[in-house]
Amino acid sequence: MTNYTEFYRRSIEEPDAFWAEQASLIDWKEPFEKVLDYDSPPFARWFVGGVTNLCHNAIDRHIANRADQTALIWVSTETGQEETYSFSDLHAEVQTMAAIILSLGVKKGDRVLIYMPMIPQSVFAMLACSRIGAVHSVVFGGFASSSLASRIEDAKPKLIISADAGCRAGKVIPYKPLLDEALEHVSTRPAKVLIVDRGLAAPSMCEDRDESYTSLRREFLGATVPCEWLESSSPSYTLYTSGTTGTPKAVQRETGGYAVALAASMKHIFCGSPGETFFATSDIGWVVGHSYIVYGPLMAGMGTLLYEGLPTRPDPGIWWRLVEKYKVTAMFSSPTAIRVMKQHENESLFEADLSSLRSLYLAGEPLDAPTGKWIHDALRKPIIDNYWQTESGWPILAVANGVERMNSKFGSPGLPMYGFAVRLIDNETGEQITVPNRKGILIIDGPLPPGCIQTIADDDERFVRTYWSEIHGRYVYSTFDWGVRDEDGYYFILGRADDVINVAGHRLGTREIEESISGHPNVAEVAVVGVSDSLKGQVAVAFITAKDRSAVATGDGASAQKREILKLVERDLGGIARPARVLFVPALPKTRSGKLLRRTIQAICEGREPGNVATIEDPTVLEAIAEAVTAT
Ligand code: AMP
């Protein structure tokens, strides 16, 4: 086995040779001429001139050797359905979907927005887009009409693919009305909408615009659609993520570099082999879903398990029974899901035979040491905390057990992964922090390795402005996360340095929630902050000043308005953005220049010292905030 230190060193000091080797893990139609073009930093082009296709690497390349092996397993504990598709079945379904998409006028380079629940057709749709060179943009199905509308407005898709409904905790959530509402609020509408009718909530169809997947599937069954070969830098997809502003950013990824990065991570980090089963419990609407439900495992020739439902329904043992049934070898989940399980701890929780499982990977939010220890003791398998972002597409910090077996440390996502030149810098001076255990901002020296954000779609300038700064003549990428590194080189993540919050592993922009709340007629000003929570990591808490104070002066009046506000957020953004608490306060703390002090509010909520109150225009405001927080 190779030594990881040497493996990592080569990736940073000899990137051309290192990545050329990794590139042999995928199929290329035409070889690349140059490994890296970094002539106009911070823009990096990997595998220049190489020609490939993601769908080919995920499906077609396996047809010769494992056509009959399982590629996709779908389990819905919501509807009680369970389906299995071999590579050959998936090949056929994806070609049918590709033929449908082409018939609806989509061409190479066009964008297709996918607003879908966790059903096989969502995976077919993503792979079909990749197959024909269309750029998919999946919007998380839990988002409601405003979030959806802003993403449609930005993406300007040629086609939207959606479904009649999703299902959560036994409750049907109709998607089509949310989509129709969103479409009323956008300036450019797609010519076509493709609807997968699951038979859950009869969708009303708009003549000339809406098409039925069921009818078109009948028409195109058995279609042959060849892969569109793409130059390595051609965009494969965009995926929206939240930032400091209310406008979500469309993270755009390339094709060849992403394929190489995923294939390499499946080998070095996730240690997956053909014929095995991978189970990522995320959603296709998030980056983990893209990389490790859909593309990564399939590229590795593994079966991938797509799960619709809760971790606790019909009971908290469900995921472990699926591990047993489908002989899952690697599982990927979130700390919140494990904390939820921990709440339901009982003897029957881990009754299933887990002998197939080699490791459990957890990401998306900090894994607190007690939760890490609890699940480790329960499973007696390596628990691999890994840190990354929508922007990176694959882990920045982890342990690469496929390269060299290394110990994890509870509370730490581990070491920098190959290709990521990770450092900590002082937030004020930009100087590198070299001493162990001193807090700094986690940055990555450019170029980012293959598979990472290529740009923000249609907005190169925003990409550079948002993420990059030039320090001592070198472009550095900011993760916006605080971190520390210990004497062994292991990193610990201490939370975001911007206004992004992380609720149950879902990244949310506080500004988006504030904008929705501002839509209430009695809201004068609002500040939303993330407050630490023992189950979800963080929850959103909204502080509001009312225009008409008398309306919220009584308990009943305030409760009625809080309900209206929560409904508004749910309608606009979806249940995941719903604040855990809404508090009316007389005023919000601001600096003398009028800047809202969210961090001060957050400190009060978490019982910490609010810091430098001298900059605050009126320090007495803080007392009222503290009072509101402690009053129930
Ligand atoms: P997202 O883009 O939604 O994947 O969110 C990325 C953010 O989630 C990161 O910037 C971190 O703040 C947080 N995050 C992801 N993985 C971890 C982890 N293993 N430990 C701590 N924080 C994490």
Side-chain angles (χ1 to χ4, degrees):
M1 222 179 201
T2 329
N3 162 300
Y4 183 72
T5 312
E6 173 55 16
F7 189 79
Y8 177 76
R9 186 203 61 74
R10 257 193 94 219
S11 77
I12 303 297
E13 291 175 15
E14 300 161 37
D16 282 14
F18 179 89
W19 285 109
E21 268 167 34
Q22 305 306 320
S24 66
L25 294 169
I26 69 155
D27 277 4
W28 295 91
K29 175 81 173 157
E30 304 284 343
F32 47 90
E33 290 143 20
K34 197 173 174 191
V35 175
L36 170 66
D37 169 1
Y38 196 49
D39 289 346
S40 46
F43 297 93
R45 290 178 63 210
W46 288 96
F47 310 114
V48 184
V51 173
T52 186
N53 180 288
L54 270 182
C55 182
H56 167 86
N57 277 288
I59 305 175
D60 299 48
R61 73 188 297 219
H62 303 304
I63 294 299
N65 297 326
R66 54 186 56 89
D68 297 332
Q69 280 180 17
T70 300
L72 177 67
I73 301 154
W74 177 53
V75 176
S76 173
T77 49
E78 295 291 342
T79 61
Q81 288 165 286
E82 215 156 310
E83 292 172 4
T84 299
Y85 299 81
S86 65
F87 276 97
S88 143
D89 298 334
L90 190 58
H91 193 224
E93 292 291 353
V94 167
Q95 291 190 79
T96 301
M97 183 65 95
I100 294 173
I101 296 175
L102 287 170
S103 80
L104 297 176
V106 173
K107 296 188 190 61
K108 173 179 165 182
D110 285 344
R111 291 196 190 128
V112 175
L113 192 133
I114 298 175
Y115 178 59
M116 294 277 268
M118 292 284 282
I119 55 175
Q121 289 74 15
S122 313
V123 176
F124 305 160
M126 290 167 75
L127 289 160
C129 287
S130 299
R131 188 168 192 89
I132 61 171
V135 178
H136 62 68
S137 189
V138 181
V139 174
F140 174 56
F143 280 137
S145 61
S146 278
S147 306
L148 181 57
S150 61
R151 286 155 175 83
I152 297 172
E153 186 74 50
D154 186 80
K156 298 181 185 52
K158 196 75 177 277
L159 168 73
I160 295 182
I161 306 181
S162 190
D164 59 335
C167 225
R168 197 172 160 78
K171 206 175 129 205
V172 171
I173 301 151
Y175 280 24
K176 184 66 180 13
L178 295 173
L179 174 60
D180 286 339
E181 196 188 327
L183 284 171
E184 268 173 35
H185 293 99
V186 296
S187 58
T188 39
R189 297 182 184 88
K192 290 289 175 191
V193 172
L194 178 66
I195 297 294
V196 178
D197 187 356
R198 311 173 64 188
L200 293 176
S204 71
M205 301 289 271
C206 168
E207 238 193 286
D208 299 333
R209 189 197 69 188
D210 298 352
E211 300 283 346
S212 151
Y213 168 73
T214 315
S215 331
L216 288 173
R217 182 172 178 272
R218 234 175 274 131
E219 195 179 317
F220 289 100
L221 211 59
T224 306
V225 179
C227 288
E228 182 76 47
W229 297 106
L230 302 170
E231 200 278 332
S232 183
S233 310
S234 311
S236 56
Y237 68 76
T238 67
L239 180 59
Y240 286 92
T241 191
S242 303
T244 3
T245 67
T247 330
K249 296 180 288 243
V251 170
Q252 181 176 306
R253 234 182 271 301
E254 85 280 47
T255 298
Y258 186 49
V260 172
L262 289 186
S265 71
M266 290 308 297
K267 180 176 177 198
H268 306 308
I269 305 172
F270 297 101
C271 312
S273 300
E276 296 180 344
T277 309
F278 199 89
F279 179 18
T281 68
S282 181
D283 188 285
I284 49 146
W286 308 115
V287 66
V288 178
H290 283 63
S291 293
Y292 298 112
I293 294 177
V294 182
Y295 293 110
L298 292 175
M299 280 173 55
M302 299 175 83
T304 182
L305 205 159
L306 179 77
Y307 177 78
E308 181 184 48
L310 299 181
T312 47
R313 258 178 115 252
D315 61 78
I318 177 66
W319 283 357
W320 309 112
R321 289 200 298 281
L322 291 176
V323 168
E324 173 179 337
K325 180 166 180 187
Y326 293 105
K327 299 199 171 27
V328 171
T329 48
M331 185 165 163
F332 192 139
S333 194
S334 70
T336 293
I338 304 301
R339 286 192 290 264
V340 167
M341 260 173 214
K342 197 168 150 207
Q343 279 192 332
H344 291 85
E345 184 170 10
N346 65 45
E347 279 145 27
S348 63
L349 187 56
F350 299 101
E351 242 167 26
D353 173 3
L354 303 179
S355 52
S356 61
L357 189 68
R358 284 197 298 263
S359 305
L360 172 67
Y361 295 83
L362 297 173
E365 55 179 317
L367 170 64
D368 56 287
T371 303
K373 280 200 187 90
W374 177 79
I375 190 69
H376 180 261
D377 291 348
L379 297 180
R380 293 178 202 288
K381 314 266 178 185
I383 307 300
I384 302 175
D385 183 358
N386 55 115
Y387 159 88
W388 46 302
Q389 308 182 306
T390 306
E391 289 84 349
S392 71
W394 59 284
I396 298 169
L397 301 172
V399 286
N401 279 345
V403 180
E404 182 187 359
R405 197 77 206 218
M406 294 184 100
N407 288 333
S408 296
K409 291 191 186 189
F410 289 117
S412 161
L415 305 164
M417 285 297 93
Y418 49 92
F420 288 101
V422 176
R423 290 191 289 136
L424 289 172
I425 59 166
D426 184 294
N427 193 31
E428 305 286 315
T429 63
E431 290 308 316
Q432 179 164 350
I433 293 173
T434 47
V435 288
N437 302 316
R438 185 176 302 164
K439 179 175 163 180
I441 297 284
L442 199 102
I443 58 106
I444 304 164
D445 286 324
L448 293 175
C452 294
I453 181 171
Q454 195 182 25
T455 188
I456 292 175
D458 305 325
D459 206 342
D460 287 349
E461 193 270 329
R462 188 176 176 202
F463 167 64
V464 179
R465 175 167 40 90
T466 305
Y467 297 105
W468 296 91
S469 26
E470 232 184 308
I471 301 179
H472 302 314
R474 210 165 173 187
Y475 273 94
V476 301
Y477 167 90
S478 176
T479 62
F480 298 104
D481 278 304
W482 291 106
V484 292
R485 196 186 59 248
D486 72 8
E487 34 307 285
D488 300 326
Y490 282 68
Y491 283 81
F492 293 76
I493 302 296
L494 307 173
R496 296 280 299 197
D498 58 5
D499 291 330
V500 164
I501 62 171
N502 195 319
V503 179
H506 301 321
R507 176 163 156 190
L508 299 171
T510 48
R511 293 287 163 84
E512 272 184 277
I513 307 176
E514 286 171 1
E515 272 171 29
S516 168
I517 293 176
S518 302
H520 187 278
N522 197 29
V523 170
E525 277 190 304
V526 50
V528 171
V529 298
V531 178
S532 59
D533 180 81
S534 59
L535 185 66
K536 296 182 173 176
Q538 274 190 316
V539 290
V541 179
F543 290 84
I544 295 170
T545 60
K547 281 184 189 156
D548 172 10
R549 289 218 203 153
S550 64
V552 294
T554 63
D556 284 351
S559 298
Q561 299 228 325
K562 282 178 191 176
R563 273 197 300 277
E564 285 173 17
I565 286 166
L566 291 174
K567 242 195 192 150
L568 192 65
V569 176
E570 213 159 292
R571 194 205 64 194
D572 284 351
L573 307 175
I576 61 160
R578 207 181 126 101
R581 292 181 81 189
V582 173
L583 303 170
F584 287 102
V585 289
L588 295 172
K590 290 183 186 163
T591 59
R592 293 200 171 86
S593 57
K595 203 169 159 280
L596 202 55
L597 290 161
R598 290 185 185 76
R599 252 166 253 296
T600 308
I601 304 177
Q602 187 190 38
I604 295 173
C605 292
E606 294 179 349
R608 290 182 279 114
E609 274 301 308
N612 187 5
V613 292
T615 56
I616 299 177
E617 192 189 30
D618 177 7
T620 61
V621 169
L622 301 185
E623 287 159 29
I625 298 256
E627 226 169 82
V629 170
T630 43
T632 45

PDB file of all heavy atoms in Angstrom, residues 224-251:
ATOM      1  N   THR A 224     -32.852   4.088 -28.953  1.00  0.00           N
ATOM      2  CA  THR A 224     -31.392   4.086 -28.818  1.00  0.00           C
ATOM      3  C   THR A 224     -30.920   5.532 -28.954  1.00  0.00           C
ATOM      4  O   THR A 224     -31.186   6.180 -29.964  1.00  0.00           O
ATOM      5  CB  THR A 224     -30.751   3.239 -29.948  1.00  0.00           C
ATOM      6  OG1 THR A 224     -31.362   1.967 -29.918  1.00  0.00           O
ATOM      7  CG2 THR A 224     -29.256   3.110 -29.765  1.00  0.00           C
ATOM      8  N   VAL A 225     -30.273   6.025 -27.930  1.00  0.00           N
ATOM      9  CA  VAL A 225     -29.750   7.401 -27.983  1.00  0.00           C
ATOM     10  C   VAL A 225     -28.266   7.356 -27.637  1.00  0.00           C
ATOM     11  O   VAL A 225     -27.903   7.055 -26.498  1.00  0.00           O
ATOM     12  CB  VAL A 225     -30.500   8.326 -26.988  1.00  0.00           C
ATOM     13  CG1 VAL A 225     -29.931   9.733 -27.031  1.00  0.00           C
ATOM     14  CG2 VAL A 225     -31.991   8.342 -27.277  1.00  0.00           C
ATOM     15  N   PRO A 226     -27.402   7.610 -28.604  1.00  0.00           N
ATOM     16  CA  PRO A 226     -25.965   7.555 -28.303  1.00  0.00           C
ATOM     17  C   PRO A 226     -25.530   8.680 -27.370  1.00  0.00           C
ATOM     18  O   PRO A 226     -26.210   9.699 -27.254  1.00  0.00           O
ATOM     19  CB  PRO A 226     -25.316   7.714 -29.681  1.00  0.00           C
ATOM     20  CG  PRO A 226     -26.346   8.353 -30.534  1.00  0.00           C
ATOM     21  CD  PRO A 226     -27.694   7.997 -29.982  1.00  0.00           C
ATOM     22  N   CYS A 227     -24.388   8.468 -26.715  1.00  0.00           N
ATOM     23  CA  CYS A 227     -23.857   9.523 -25.836  1.00  0.00           C
ATOM     24  C   CYS A 227     -23.308  10.662 -26.679  1.00  0.00           C
ATOM     25  O   CYS A 227     -22.681  10.435 -27.714  1.00  0.00           O
ATOM     26  CB  CYS A 227     -22.715   8.970 -24.981  1.00  0.00           C
ATOM     27  SG  CYS A 227     -23.254   7.856 -23.701  1.00  0.00           S
ATOM     28  N   GLU A 228     -23.527  11.857 -26.223  1.00  0.00           N
ATOM     29  CA  GLU A 228     -22.952  13.045 -26.856  1.00  0.00           C
ATOM     30  C   GLU A 228     -21.559  13.228 -26.247  1.00  0.00           C
ATOM     31  O   GLU A 228     -21.434  13.420 -25.037  1.00  0.00           O
ATOM     32  CB  GLU A 228     -23.848  14.240 -26.526  1.00  0.00           C
ATOM     33  CG  GLU A 228     -23.448  15.545 -27.133  1.00  0.00           C
ATOM     34  CD  GLU A 228     -23.782  15.656 -28.613  1.00  0.00           C
ATOM     35  OE1 GLU A 228     -24.918  15.316 -29.007  1.00  0.00           O
ATOM     36  OE2 GLU A 228     -22.883  16.071 -29.358  1.00  0.00           O
ATOM     37  N   TRP A 229     -20.533  13.149 -27.064  1.00  0.00           N
ATOM     38  CA  TRP A 229     -19.173  13.257 -26.507  1.00  0.00           C
ATOM     39  C   TRP A 229     -18.833  14.709 -26.254  1.00  0.00           C
ATOM     40  O   TRP A 229     -19.044  15.554 -27.113  1.00  0.00           O
ATOM     41  CB  TRP A 229     -18.167  12.578 -27.445  1.00  0.00           C
ATOM     42  CG  TRP A 229     -18.473  11.114 -27.551  1.00  0.00           C
ATOM     43  CD1 TRP A 229     -19.032  10.475 -28.607  1.00  0.00           C
ATOM     44  CD2 TRP A 229     -18.292  10.132 -26.525  1.00  0.00           C
ATOM     45  NE1 TRP A 229     -19.216   9.137 -28.319  1.00  0.00           N
ATOM     46  CE2 TRP A 229     -18.768   8.902 -27.044  1.00  0.00           C
ATOM     47  CE3 TRP A 229     -17.790  10.155 -25.224  1.00  0.00           C
ATOM     48  CZ2 TRP A 229     -18.748   7.722 -26.316  1.00  0.00           C
ATOM     49  CZ3 TRP A 229     -17.764   8.980 -24.498  1.00  0.00           C
ATOM     50  CH2 TRP A 229     -18.237   7.775 -25.042  1.00  0.00           C
ATOM     51  N   LEU A 230     -18.331  14.980 -25.073  1.00  0.00           N
ATOM     52  CA  LEU A 230     -18.122  16.375 -24.666  1.00  0.00           C
ATOM     53  C   LEU A 230     -16.664  16.649 -24.319  1.00  0.00           C
ATOM     54  O   LEU A 230     -15.987  15.788 -23.736  1.00  0.00           O
ATOM     55  CB  LEU A 230     -18.958  16.679 -23.414  1.00  0.00           C
ATOM     56  CG  LEU A 230     -20.469  16.452 -23.524  1.00  0.00           C
ATOM     57  CD1 LEU A 230     -21.111  16.546 -22.145  1.00  0.00           C
ATOM     58  CD2 LEU A 230     -21.095  17.479 -24.461  1.00  0.00           C
ATOM     59  N   GLU A 231     -16.241  17.846 -24.640  1.00  0.00           N
ATOM     60  CA  GLU A 231     -14.893  18.259 -24.231  1.00  0.00           C
ATOM     61  C   GLU A 231     -14.904  18.332 -22.700  1.00  0.00           C
ATOM     62  O   GLU A 231     -15.912  18.692 -22.084  1.00  0.00           O
ATOM     63  CB  GLU A 231     -14.560  19.617 -24.854  1.00  0.00           C
ATOM     64  CG  GLU A 231     -13.063  19.946 -24.930  1.00  0.00           C
ATOM     65  CD  GLU A 231     -12.454  20.494 -23.638  1.00  0.00           C
ATOM     66  OE1 GLU A 231     -13.193  21.124 -22.854  1.00  0.00           O
ATOM     67  OE2 GLU A 231     -11.247  20.287 -23.408  1.00  0.00           O
ATOM     68  N   SER A 232     -13.788  17.968 -22.108  1.00  0.00           N
ATOM     69  CA  SER A 232     -13.683  17.849 -20.659  1.00  0.00           C
ATOM     70  C   SER A 232     -14.269  19.031 -19.869  1.00  0.00           C
ATOM     71  O   SER A 232     -14.913  18.848 -18.845  1.00  0.00           O
ATOM     72  CB  SER A 232     -12.209  17.667 -20.302  1.00  0.00           C
ATOM     73  OG  SER A 232     -12.075  17.479 -18.935  1.00  0.00           O
ATOM     74  N   SER A 233     -14.055  20.254 -20.366  1.00  0.00           N
ATOM     75  CA  SER A 233     -14.513  21.431 -19.608  1.00  0.00           C
ATOM     76  C   SER A 233     -15.979  21.753 -19.830  1.00  0.00           C
ATOM     77  O   SER A 233     -16.487  22.706 -19.222  1.00  0.00           O
ATOM     78  CB  SER A 233     -13.715  22.665 -19.992  1.00  0.00           C
ATOM     79  OG  SER A 233     -12.373  22.386 -19.934  1.00  0.00           O
ATOM     80  N   SER A 234     -16.664  21.032 -20.696  1.00  0.00           N
ATOM     81  CA  SER A 234     -18.091  21.326 -20.915  1.00  0.00           C
ATOM     82  C   SER A 234     -18.832  21.143 -19.597  1.00  0.00           C
ATOM     83  O   SER A 234     -18.575  20.187 -18.866  1.00  0.00           O
ATOM     84  CB  SER A 234     -18.706  20.356 -21.921  1.00  0.00           C
ATOM     85  OG  SER A 234     -17.908  20.255 -23.052  1.00  0.00           O
ATOM     86  N   PRO A 235     -19.774  22.055 -19.297  1.00  0.00           N
ATOM     87  CA  PRO A 235     -20.486  21.908 -18.021  1.00  0.00           C
ATOM     88  C   PRO A 235     -21.310  20.631 -17.976  1.00  0.00           C
ATOM     89  O   PRO A 235     -21.915  20.244 -18.974  1.00  0.00           O
ATOM     90  CB  PRO A 235     -21.395  23.135 -17.957  1.00  0.00           C
ATOM     91  CG  PRO A 235     -21.435  23.692 -19.328  1.00  0.00           C
ATOM     92  CD  PRO A 235     -20.204  23.234 -20.048  1.00  0.00           C
ATOM     93  N   SER A 236     -21.316  19.965 -16.814  1.00  0.00           N
ATOM     94  CA  SER A 236     -22.146  18.768 -16.672  1.00  0.00           C
ATOM     95  C   SER A 236     -23.452  19.131 -15.972  1.00  0.00           C
ATOM     96  O   SER A 236     -24.507  18.675 -16.343  1.00  0.00           O
ATOM     97  CB  SER A 236     -21.412  17.702 -15.867  1.00  0.00           C
ATOM     98  OG  SER A 236     -21.014  18.201 -14.610  1.00  0.00           O
ATOM     99  N   TYR A 237     -23.349  19.959 -14.939  1.00  0.00           N
ATOM    100  CA  TYR A 237     -24.583  20.384 -14.266  1.00  0.00           C
ATOM    101  C   TYR A 237     -24.344  21.639 -13.460  1.00  0.00           C
ATOM    102  O   TYR A 237     -23.195  22.044 -13.234  1.00  0.00           O
ATOM    103  CB  TYR A 237     -25.141  19.263 -13.382  1.00  0.00           C
ATOM    104  CG  TYR A 237     -24.336  18.872 -12.152  1.00  0.00           C
ATOM    105  CD1 TYR A 237     -24.323  19.666 -11.006  1.00  0.00           C
ATOM    106  CD2 TYR A 237     -23.635  17.667 -12.114  1.00  0.00           C
ATOM    107  CE1 TYR A 237     -23.629  19.269  -9.869  1.00  0.00           C
ATOM    108  CE2 TYR A 237     -22.940  17.265 -10.985  1.00  0.00           C
ATOM    109  CZ  TYR A 237     -22.943  18.076  -9.858  1.00  0.00           C
ATOM    110  OH  TYR A 237     -22.260  17.696  -8.728  1.00  0.00           O
ATOM    111  N   THR A 238     -25.445  22.236 -13.045  1.00  0.00           N
ATOM    112  CA  THR A 238     -25.352  23.316 -12.066  1.00  0.00           C
ATOM    113  C   THR A 238     -26.198  22.881 -10.866  1.00  0.00           C
ATOM    114  O   THR A 238     -27.150  22.116 -11.013  1.00  0.00           O
ATOM    115  CB  THR A 238     -25.871  24.674 -12.597  1.00  0.00           C
ATOM    116  OG1 THR A 238     -27.265  24.587 -12.811  1.00  0.00           O
ATOM    117  CG2 THR A 238     -25.176  25.079 -13.878  1.00  0.00           C
ATOM    118  N   LEU A 239     -25.798  23.368  -9.708  1.00  0.00           N
ATOM    119  CA  LEU A 239     -26.525  23.021  -8.492  1.00  0.00           C
ATOM    120  C   LEU A 239     -26.531  24.263  -7.605  1.00  0.00           C
ATOM    121  O   LEU A 239     -25.471  24.827  -7.329  1.00  0.00           O
ATOM    122  CB  LEU A 239     -25.813  21.846  -7.794  1.00  0.00           C
ATOM    123  CG  LEU A 239     -26.423  21.334  -6.495  1.00  0.00           C
ATOM    124  CD1 LEU A 239     -27.854  20.857  -6.701  1.00  0.00           C
ATOM    125  CD2 LEU A 239     -25.591  20.162  -5.953  1.00  0.00           C
ATOM    126  N   TYR A 240     -27.725  24.673  -7.199  1.00  0.00           N
ATOM    127  CA  TYR A 240     -27.826  25.914  -6.430  1.00  0.00           C
ATOM    128  C   TYR A 240     -27.423  25.710  -4.983  1.00  0.00           C
ATOM    129  O   TYR A 240     -27.719  24.682  -4.380  1.00  0.00           O
ATOM    130  CB  TYR A 240     -29.254  26.470  -6.507  1.00  0.00           C
ATOM    131  CG  TYR A 240     -29.501  27.077  -7.860  1.00  0.00           C
ATOM    132  CD1 TYR A 240     -30.054  26.320  -8.888  1.00  0.00           C
ATOM    133  CD2 TYR A 240     -29.101  28.374  -8.130  1.00  0.00           C
ATOM    134  CE1 TYR A 240     -30.223  26.863 -10.150  1.00  0.00           C
ATOM    135  CE2 TYR A 240     -29.266  28.928  -9.391  1.00  0.00           C
ATOM    136  CZ  TYR A 240     -29.826  28.166 -10.391  1.00  0.00           C
ATOM    137  OH  TYR A 240     -29.976  28.704 -11.634  1.00  0.00           O
ATOM    138  N   THR A 241     -26.744  26.700  -4.466  1.00  0.00           N
ATOM    139  CA  THR A 241     -26.408  26.660  -3.054  1.00  0.00           C
ATOM    140  C   THR A 241     -26.540  28.057  -2.472  1.00  0.00           C
ATOM    141  O   THR A 241     -26.507  29.049  -3.199  1.00  0.00           O
ATOM    142  CB  THR A 241     -25.004  26.068  -2.825  1.00  0.00           C
ATOM    143  OG1 THR A 241     -24.854  25.827  -1.430  1.00  0.00           O
ATOM    144  CG2 THR A 241     -23.897  26.984  -3.301  1.00  0.00           C
ATOM    145  N   SER A 242     -26.730  28.101  -1.164  1.00  0.00           N
ATOM    146  CA  SER A 242     -26.980  29.394  -0.533  1.00  0.00           C
ATOM    147  C   SER A 242     -25.683  30.055  -0.112  1.00  0.00           C
ATOM    148  O   SER A 242     -24.711  29.390   0.208  1.00  0.00           O
ATOM    149  CB  SER A 242     -27.857  29.192   0.701  1.00  0.00           C
ATOM    150  OG  SER A 242     -29.032  28.551   0.329  1.00  0.00           O
ATOM    151  N   GLY A 243     -25.730  31.362  -0.096  1.00  0.00           N
ATOM    152  CA  GLY A 243     -24.555  32.125   0.335  1.00  0.00           C
ATOM    153  C   GLY A 243     -25.004  33.277   1.209  1.00  0.00           C
ATOM    154  O   GLY A 243     -26.059  33.217   1.825  1.00  0.00           O
ATOM    155  N   THR A 244     -24.204  34.324   1.227  1.00  0.00           N
ATOM    156  CA  THR A 244     -24.509  35.458   2.093  1.00  0.00           C
ATOM    157  C   THR A 244     -25.626  36.326   1.535  1.00  0.00           C
ATOM    158  O   THR A 244     -26.291  37.018   2.288  1.00  0.00           O
ATOM    159  CB  THR A 244     -23.256  36.353   2.255  1.00  0.00           C
ATOM    160  OG1 THR A 244     -22.239  35.809   1.453  1.00  0.00           O
ATOM    161  CG2 THR A 244     -22.824  36.438   3.670  1.00  0.00           C
ATOM    162  N   THR A 245     -25.821  36.311   0.236  1.00  0.00           N
ATOM    163  CA  THR A 245     -26.879  37.150  -0.314  1.00  0.00           C
ATOM    164  C   THR A 245     -28.139  36.309  -0.456  1.00  0.00           C
ATOM    165  O   THR A 245     -28.100  35.093  -0.354  1.00  0.00           O
ATOM    166  CB  THR A 245     -26.489  37.678  -1.711  1.00  0.00           C
ATOM    167  OG1 THR A 245     -26.451  36.559  -2.590  1.00  0.00           O
ATOM    168  CG2 THR A 245     -25.166  38.398  -1.688  1.00  0.00           C
ATOM    169  N   GLY A 246     -29.255  36.976  -0.741  1.00  0.00           N
ATOM    170  CA  GLY A 246     -30.515  36.256  -0.889  1.00  0.00           C
ATOM    171  C   GLY A 246     -30.582  35.475  -2.197  1.00  0.00           C
ATOM    172  O   GLY A 246     -31.435  34.625  -2.371  1.00  0.00           O
ATOM    173  N   THR A 247     -29.675  35.796  -3.148  1.00  0.00           N
ATOM    174  CA  THR A 247     -29.737  35.128  -4.452  1.00  0.00           C
ATOM    175  C   THR A 247     -28.861  33.889  -4.447  1.00  0.00           C
ATOM    176  O   THR A 247     -27.653  33.978  -4.261  1.00  0.00           O
ATOM    177  CB  THR A 247     -29.185  36.079  -5.556  1.00  0.00           C
ATOM    178  OG1 THR A 247     -29.459  37.407  -5.161  1.00  0.00           O
ATOM    179  CG2 THR A 247     -29.760  35.760  -6.907  1.00  0.00           C
ATOM    180  N   PRO A 248     -29.473  32.719  -4.651  1.00  0.00           N
ATOM    181  CA  PRO A 248     -28.657  31.497  -4.635  1.00  0.00           C
ATOM    182  C   PRO A 248     -27.662  31.456  -5.792  1.00  0.00           C
ATOM    183  O   PRO A 248     -27.880  32.074  -6.828  1.00  0.00           O
ATOM    184  CB  PRO A 248     -29.679  30.377  -4.771  1.00  0.00           C
ATOM    185  CG  PRO A 248     -30.991  30.999  -4.954  1.00  0.00           C
ATOM    186  CD  PRO A 248     -30.874  32.469  -4.933  1.00  0.00           C
ATOM    187  N   LYS A 249     -26.583  30.734  -5.551  1.00  0.00           N
ATOM    188  CA  LYS A 249     -25.512  30.649  -6.559  1.00  0.00           C
ATOM    189  C   LYS A 249     -25.610  29.317  -7.293  1.00  0.00           C
ATOM    190  O   LYS A 249     -25.744  28.278  -6.664  1.00  0.00           O
ATOM    191  CB  LYS A 249     -24.147  30.686  -5.873  1.00  0.00           C
ATOM    192  CG  LYS A 249     -23.865  31.966  -5.147  1.00  0.00           C
ATOM    193  CD  LYS A 249     -22.494  31.923  -4.502  1.00  0.00           C
ATOM    194  CE  LYS A 249     -22.459  30.995  -3.305  1.00  0.00           C
ATOM    195  NZ  LYS A 249     -22.174  31.602  -2.036  1.00  0.00           N
ATOM    196  N   ALA A 250     -25.502  29.376  -8.613  1.00  0.00           N
ATOM    197  CA  ALA A 250     -25.528  28.145  -9.406  1.00  0.00           C
ATOM    198  C   ALA A 250     -24.099  27.638  -9.562  1.00  0.00           C
ATOM    199  O   ALA A 250     -23.344  28.114 -10.406  1.00  0.00           O
ATOM    200  CB  ALA A 250     -26.145  28.402 -10.772  1.00  0.00           C
ATOM    201  N   VAL A 251     -23.729  26.686  -8.723  1.00  0.00           N
ATOM    202  CA  VAL A 251     -22.394  26.092  -8.794  1.00  0.00           C
ATOM    203  C   VAL A 251     -22.324  25.249 -10.066  1.00  0.00           C
ATOM    204  O   VAL A 251     -23.133  24.346 -10.258  1.00  0.00           O
ATOM    205  CB  VAL A 251     -22.142  25.204  -7.549  1.00  0.00           C
ATOM    206  CG1 VAL A 251     -20.879  24.370  -7.702  1.00  0.00           C
ATOM    207  CG2 VAL A 251     -22.070  26.061  -6.299  1.00  0.00           C
TER     208      VAL A 251
END
